[in-house]
Amino acid sequence: MAPLTGCDLFDRDDEPTPPPDPLRSMVDESLSLVAAYRASAAAHPDLADRLNPIAETHTAHATELARVVGITLPSAPAVDPSATAATEPAGALADLRAREKAAQQSATAACAAAPAARAALLGSIAAARATHQEALK
């Protein structure tokens, strides 16, 4: 019996592209928070010492999430049109608190849905976001 050759019936590359990693949105959210903090710090230099360390925390979160997801972060931060700062410092802080609250809720939901290997990372991010809300009061 002669072997079959030249048949590509089983050698096709029609596999569908896998869906994006569910944590991809967490990367984007962290980068959006960085942009919001940077915009507020630039608009209100008197708040920069308070806001820049929190922005750096969000940068670290985005970096670690990107590593877990297997993507590379952009070398230059993307411009986020929603990252404009309020004209008054109190308004900027209130806006950042609201962003942190929404981000904490999404991190908590992601943590609850994540496999155990990712839950610790997401739980620590949710906790950091809760702490940030307090630091902005």
Side-chain angles (χ1 to χ4, degrees), residues 6 12 14 16 18-19 38 40 44 54 66 69 83-84 89 101 109 121:
R12 298 181 65 149
D14 291 342
R38 297 282 185 233
S40 292
H44 307 288
I54 299 173
V69 171
T84 58
K101 183 175 183 175
L121 171 61

Side-chain angles (χ1 to χ4, degrees), residues 33-96:
L33 285 165
V34 171
Y37 276 91
R38 297 282 185 233
S40 292
H44 307 288
D46 53 317
L47 296 176
D49 287 344
R50 190 172 172 189
L51 301 181
N52 286 334
I54 299 173
E56 290 304 317
T57 300
H58 288 299
T59 300
H61 293 163
T63 301
E64 182 59 16
L65 287 163
R67 185 193 67 74
V68 169
V69 171
I71 60 172
T72 303
L73 291 179
S75 57
V79 176
D80 182 352
S82 69
T84 58
T87 56
E88 296 296 320
L93 292 173
D95 175 62
L96 291 170

Side-chain angles (χ1 to χ4, degrees), residues 90-125:
L93 292 173
D95 175 62
L96 291 170
R97 275 194 310 273
R99 288 174 182 263
E100 288 284 0
K101 183 175 183 175
Q104 179 197 6
Q105 290 169 345
S106 66
T108 300
C111 180
R118 293 179 168 193
L121 171 61
L122 295 167
S124 67
I125 290 172

